[in-house]
Amino acid sequence: MGWDAFGLPAENYAIAHKVHPADATAKNIKRFKTQMMAAGLSYDWSRELSTADPAYYQWTQWMFVQMFHRGLAYKAEKPITWCPSCKTTLANEDLENGKCERCHSQVERRLMKEWMIKITDYAERLLDEVRLLEWPESVKEMQRNWIGRSEGYEFDFRIEHRHELLRVFTTRLDTLYGVTFVVLAPEHPLVEAITAPEQREKVKHYVRVVTNKTDLDREAQKEKTGVFTGAYAIHPATKERIPIWIAEYVMMNYGTGAVMGVPAHDERDFEFAKRFDLPVKEVVSEQGIPRGSLDRAYVAKGILVHSGPFDRLPAHEAAAKIAQFIGAHPAVKYRLEDWEFARQRYWGEPFPLVFCPECEKRVRRGETKCRGKAYSKGELQNPGWIGVAEAQLPVKLPNVKSYAPTGTGESPLAAMKAWVKTRCPKCGGAAQRETDTMPQWAGSCWYYIGFALGRQKLKLKPSQAKLFWDRKALKYWLPVNFYVGGVEHATRHLIYARFWHKFLYDIGVMPSKEPFAKLVNQGLILGPDNEKMSKSRGNVINPDEVIKQYGADTLRMYEMFMGPLEATKPWDTQGIIGIHRFLNRLYALFEEATRKRKPSGKKMGERPTSSEPGTKQRINQALHRAIKKVGDDILALRFNTAISTLMELQNVISISHHKLSARDMRSMMKTMLILVFPFAPHLASELWSSVEKTLIEKQRWPKYSTVLVAEQRVTYAVQVNGKLRDTLAARADASEDEVVARARAGAKIASWLAGKKVRHTIFVKGKIVNFVV
């Protein structure tokens, strides 16, 4: 068990309750552990870790420094998503429906400098290698869509009366002759330069309004909006003048931030053209015959029309020929963006970076070394920023009194002057620490590695990295064989962790390409009102109260019995009462099987010295089928049906156990306890210890007899008026109604009963069905 302790939730809680986040975190961890132990959850506490422990986050810092030195981390000014309530930047993965996933506030767009990680360098591998994983196909598809690979072409439009070129990316170069306008993202760097004087105020106002929206808000905008820049592009094939617009439906973070508008063959372009009365020119049709007037975009790939020398060509052939004609180049683009990796908050891992003005001057002069020490790729790409040396890790978070976010774009750490001032690891000159902190995702990207290596390895210093990366332990434990996690992590933690793991694989410290081999998504447990549990709704179920009233085993078994693991299901008090009754009956049944006297002191009914053969056979068969079914269901995560099987077994034993000898009854009940133990360990252990000196968890899982679990079948003689007319094979436990219905449905019997009235049906279990007509 580990504690993902850094980040916004812990800090916001601490601010609301006016406590230090370190104190609040420690208190909550203690509380959670108490609850887990009360529920009997079996964790190896010797491997417990917390992302807020300096012994742990020194390695998070070490890994970040490796990324920085290899050029994967860079500082850039770009439009970022800002939460005015949490007062920090957010990544796209931190949003839900355009709002902060933590506080549900409407977010804003701001222009800020912050640290980014080039996760896009791994886009192709993240996409391609998802096929290696035994994950739900829906999760794999969510990752494919989030990464969003598109194959197409890049080419340039000339801008009338200007020397700049306008580069666009398209996946449908076959529709080039249908271009009637070009659209830029409002943030495109050419917007200001190309806008005509008479359009400048309109364009400025539009840009100001749109850039305050999030990408999700812009994508959700149903009515198309836009402004004409007053500038024109020159069509690369026809040399026609084409108006250049800006519109919010074009995003700067996808492609080149500029698209060719082909309203006849793109739905968004069609809506935009209709809104602003722009020409619609058909250039592809299903059979190569123009349709004339268009009431909607034709987006399929057909035969080119109105396309000059490329008329009558199939679309898939035309694209390559048009590319050659205008000098377009094949290109691949991704929807995935680089990872916004900084937060302007206190409670997070400090960046292991310092800014040195002297080193900045050297790098900008083109120098590649300082005092004989070479600058790394990251240091050359980010002039002045220097990675902290391994011997100086961890960079510890200072213990401060005021840690509330400033709202100015600066982290509270910026006010810690004594902490901020430091010396440059390269030149020894005056330097300043980076005051932003890492996002909460940083520490959770690699916690499974911490489990594999153990707490003693975490305590090693980063200068002992060769000892830390224990190849033998990593090969033994990783990749994680089986991972249970919510589907909400599909495009967040699971993307980040896969990227992080691949980077560690690339630098030679991880033995596998992927972190998690198999994934299962667990469902959500809703409140009794069928709504998501929340304090505001008053529908939260407190496990402490359930354990106090019904016991930990009842809580455990009910959660597993509610339904399939993957399903979302509501809490039902009546259901938990049913489980509680089952456990009470199990206790009573075991007591009766093992005690010689009732609690009152009266003698119990004498058990036979030997079991009645038929009863023993029937119960033994039910027991062995239960061994197989419960074992199979546990491996398949069908806990609810495993518990149903245990209930059925209990019923079979309860009905006829008085016909069993004491020895047989005791043996069968002991086997049943082993089956119950994974679900209700406290009760099973207690009952076991009353008759055995060994521990129940040390027992082998029972083996079943293939003979006893095989489906028993019998052959019925099917008669009409006492004469044999057919035979029927059926399960030995099949009901009378089932056997009679199957007998009547047989072709032979149906012919004998045709036109006759069945006056009476005689049924002898396992032997005869006789229709009297």
Side-chain angles (χ1 to χ4, degrees):
M1 173 54 61
W3 311 101
D4 191 7
F6 270 143
L8 290 177
E11 186 169 336
N12 287 346
Y13 174 90
I15 291 170
H17 292 82
K18 295 181 170 56
V19 294
H20 195 282
D23 296 333
T25 298
K27 183 179 178 181
N28 281 321
I29 287 175
K30 184 177 179 182
R31 182 83 184 103
F32 291 147
K33 281 184 73 171
T34 301
Q35 289 180 308
M36 289 177 177
M37 289 175 172
L41 303 186
S42 301
Y43 290 111
D44 179 356
W45 293 106
S46 72
R47 292 176 185 263
E48 178 187 8
L49 53 83
S50 166
T51 59
D53 179 358
Y56 181 88
Y57 72 70
Q58 65 177 345
W59 291 104
T60 308
Q61 292 174 337
W62 182 90
M63 294 173 204
F64 175 82
V65 167
Q66 308 311 308
M67 293 184 189
F68 173 74
H69 286 322
R70 287 164 174 79
L72 280 178
Y74 65 97
K75 199 159 198 176
E77 186 174 57
K78 59 170 286 183
I80 54 87
T81 304
W82 177 269
C83 175
S85 176
C86 295
K87 298 178 182 176
T88 190
T89 57
L90 302 173
N92 286 339
E93 293 82 358
D94 297 322
L95 304 178
E96 281 186 0
N97 302 319
K99 295 182 179 181
C100 173
E101 68 157 347
R102 296 299 182 186
C103 67
H104 308 295
S105 297
Q106 189 65 45
V107 296
E108 304 168 355
R109 296 290 275 177
R110 289 188 180 184
L111 197 64
M112 283 182 66
K113 274 190 174 182
E114 68 169 14
W115 286 102
M116 311 289 295
I117 288 185
K118 291 183 183 177
I119 192 172
T120 50
D121 281 9
Y122 283 74
E124 189 63 33
R125 283 167 62 188
L126 288 168
L127 186 64
D128 180 58
E129 290 168 6
V130 76
R131 63 186 167 76
L132 305 175
L133 305 173
E134 190 181 346
W135 288 15
E137 191 55 40
S138 59
V139 173
K140 290 160 76 168
E141 190 62 21
M142 287 169 76
Q143 291 215 347
R144 292 187 191 106
N145 292 337
W146 189 262
I147 296 165
R149 187 180 194 273
S150 298
E151 293 184 15
Y153 291 90
E154 278 188 355
F155 65 95
D156 296 325
F157 282 93
R158 285 194 303 108
I159 302 174
E160 189 179 53
H161 306 312
R162 299 196 66 87
H163 66 277
E164 296 98 337
L165 296 175
L166 179 57
R167 178 152 294 189
V168 299
F169 169 77
T170 180
T171 60
R172 291 294 307 272
L173 191 59
D174 56 296
T175 64
L176 177 69
Y177 281 79
V179 175
T180 59
F181 57 92
V182 176
V183 189
L184 306 186
E187 306 92 338
H188 197 288
L190 284 179
V191 169
E192 187 175 353
I194 68 172
T195 299
E198 67 272 16
Q199 291 295 104
R200 192 155 286 146
E201 286 306 313
K202 287 182 181 178
V203 168
K204 275 186 177 179
H205 175 72
Y206 185 78
V207 169
R208 188 164 55 246
V209 171
V210 170
T211 51
N212 273 330
K213 294 183 178 182
T214 68
D215 291 352
L216 289 173
D217 287 338
R218 285 164 64 172
E219 288 173 357
Q221 178 73 34
K222 290 185 179 178
E223 185 178 329
K224 292 291 179 283
T225 67
V227 174
F228 176 44
T229 65
Y232 289 86
I234 305 301
H235 194 290
T238 67
K239 309 307 178 187
E240 296 173 317
R241 295 170 80 232
I242 301 167
I244 302 174
W245 288 66
I246 62 170
E248 63 181 323
Y249 78 88
V250 178
M251 304 290 180
M252 194 63 219
N253 53 27
Y254 179 74
T256 63
V259 300
M260 61 183 210
V262 188
H265 305 290
D266 181 275
E267 291 173 352
R268 296 189 308 169
D269 293 346
F270 183 82
E271 291 171 15
F272 190 80
K274 289 297 183 185
R275 172 80 171 78
F276 294 104
D277 198 26
L278 295 167
V280 178
K281 183 180 178 183
E282 182 184 20
V283 293
V284 177
S285 69
E286 187 174 0
Q287 300 295 332
I289 302 171
R291 290 179 297 164
S293 92
L294 300 172
D295 57 355
R296 57 190 171 84
Y298 177 73
V299 297
K301 291 192 175 182
I303 306 296
L304 268 63
V305 297
H306 300 147
S307 296
F310 305 101
D311 274 0
R312 308 299 301 166
L313 279 178
H316 67 276
E317 289 182 22
K321 292 182 182 295
I322 291 173
Q324 189 175 14
F325 181 63
I326 66 169
H329 303 286
V332 175
K333 300 293 181 182
Y334 298 93
R335 181 175 177 269
L336 180 71
E337 296 181 58
D338 280 345
W339 184 2
E340 293 174 16
F341 199 71
R343 300 292 182 267
Q344 294 69 44
R345 300 292 291 241
Y346 166 74
W347 192 238
E349 297 92 343
F351 277 95
L353 298 171
V354 304
F355 183 78
C356 173
E358 289 303 314
C359 284
E360 180 189 22
K361 292 175 186 175
R362 289 189 178 95
V363 172
R364 293 197 185 281
R365 287 197 300 263
E367 296 180 25
T368 59
K369 291 183 179 181
C370 173
R371 296 187 179 182
K373 300 175 185 175
Y375 288 114
S376 69
K377 185 177 180 180
E379 290 165 343
L380 292 172
Q381 289 175 349
N382 300 277
W385 287 102
I386 306 297
V388 171
E390 287 182 347
Q392 295 174 332
L393 297 178
V395 176
K396 290 187 178 180
L397 201 60
N399 192 6
V400 299
K401 290 183 179 179
S402 176
Y403 54 85
T406 62
T408 64
E410 273 195 326
S411 160
L413 290 175
M416 311 294 113
K417 303 300 182 186
W419 181 82
V420 172
K421 289 181 180 179
T422 186
R423 309 303 296 182
C424 174
K426 271 285 194 293
C427 71
Q432 291 191 322
R433 296 191 188 281
E434 169 61 77
T435 56
D436 283 356
T437 52
M438 298 187 202
Q440 65 266 29
W441 307 104
S444 65
C445 277
W446 66 277
Y447 67 91
Y448 58 95
I449 299 172
F451 291 148
L453 294 175
R455 208 149 54 189
Q456 291 306 311
K457 283 285 194 296
L458 291 174
K459 290 178 181 178
L460 292 172
K461 293 298 177 186
S463 55
Q464 300 172 288
K466 287 185 178 179
L467 291 175
F468 176 77
W469 295 105
D470 183 341
R471 197 83 176 171
K472 184 178 179 182
L474 293 170
K475 275 189 171 181
Y476 177 80
W477 287 110
L478 301 178
V480 174
N481 304 77
F482 181 64
Y483 182 110
V484 180
V487 70
E488 70 275 8
H489 292 309
T491 56
R492 292 180 178 137
H493 163 65
L494 290 174
I495 285 269
Y496 293 148
R498 290 185 63 219
F499 155 72
W500 203 278
H501 189 98
K502 289 178 185 300
F503 169 74
L504 295 176
Y505 174 80
D506 286 352
I507 66 173
V509 296
M510 290 304 300
S512 60
K513 291 183 179 181
E514 290 284 344
F516 315 120
K518 181 178 179 179
L519 169 72
V520 168
N521 298 133
Q522 85 280 16
L524 196 66
I525 295 182
L526 304 175
D529 57 356
N530 232 21
E531 297 285 345
K532 189 175 179 179
M533 289 190 195
S534 73
K535 289 181 180 177
S536 61
R537 289 195 182 101
N539 63 351
V540 175
I541 302 298
N542 188 332
D544 301 343
E545 294 170 4
V546 177
I547 290 173
K548 185 176 180 181
Q549 185 173 359
Y550 297 106
D553 285 342
T554 300
L555 172 67
R556 292 167 59 98
M557 282 198 83
Y558 174 62
E559 287 206 342
M560 288 183 269
F561 186 61
M562 291 174 78
L565 176 67
E566 299 90 340
T568 295
K569 48 254 176 190
W571 186 270
D572 179 9
T573 304
Q574 291 304 311
I576 201 165
I577 291 172
I579 290 290
H580 192 55
R581 287 174 180 158
F582 163 74
L583 291 173
N584 282 330
R585 286 195 294 268
L586 178 65
Y587 181 88
L589 193 60
F590 188 85
E591 288 284 281
E592 191 172 340
T594 56
R595 288 187 181 180
K596 294 181 179 178
R597 291 180 177 273
K598 290 184 179 179
S600 61
K602 296 178 183 177
K603 281 189 176 182
M604 296 174 65
E606 290 293 325
R607 284 192 175 277
T609 54
S610 60
S611 300
E612 195 274 315
T615 300
K616 182 178 179 180
Q617 173 72 7
R618 188 168 60 256
I619 295 177
N620 222 11
Q621 191 173 46
L623 179 64
H624 280 256
R625 287 180 177 175
I627 293 170
K628 183 179 189 304
K629 183 75 167 65
V630 172
D632 290 348
D633 283 351
I634 287 174
L635 291 176
L637 308 181
R638 296 188 296 261
F639 304 130
N640 56 322
T641 56
I643 293 170
S644 293
T645 299
L646 291 171
M647 291 175 169
E648 293 168 8
L649 176 61
Q650 185 192 71
N651 288 336
V652 170
I653 296 175
S654 296
I655 292 168
S656 306
H657 71 87
H658 57 280
K659 295 181 181 178
L660 293 177
S661 68
R663 180 179 177 181
D664 287 340
M665 178 63 175
R666 179 174 169 142
S667 174
M668 289 179 178
M669 287 305 300
K670 282 171 61 179
T671 301
M672 185 175 182
L673 285 184
I674 296 174
L675 300 184
V676 169
F677 173 71
F679 306 95
H682 304 90
L683 178 62
S685 296
E686 179 69 17
L687 296 179
W688 181 273
S689 65
S690 69
V691 293
E692 294 289 342
K693 293 181 180 179
T694 57
L695 294 172
I696 190 171
E697 54 264 40
K698 296 291 185 183
Q699 308 310 305
R700 289 187 177 278
W701 190 256
K703 292 183 178 180
Y704 59 84
S705 163
T706 54
V707 174
L708 289 173
V709 300
E711 194 175 70
Q712 301 295 310
R713 301 184 72 81
V714 294
T715 301
Y716 282 89
V718 185
Q719 302 173 338
V720 177
N721 285 348
K723 293 185 178 179
L724 180 67
R725 301 301 184 189
D726 200 2
T727 58
L728 172 68
R731 299 190 329 273
D733 60 350
S735 67
E736 178 179 347
D737 290 344
E738 181 185 341
V739 174
V740 170
R742 285 186 59 204
R744 289 192 72 157
K748 290 181 181 178
I749 298 301
S751 65
W752 282 100
L753 299 182
K756 298 182 176 66
K757 181 179 180 180
V758 178
R759 297 174 58 191
H760 186 54
T761 301
I762 300 168
F763 176 78
V764 180
K765 180 75 172 176
K767 295 182 180 179
I768 295 172
V769 178
N770 183 17
F771 297 105
V772 179
V773 299

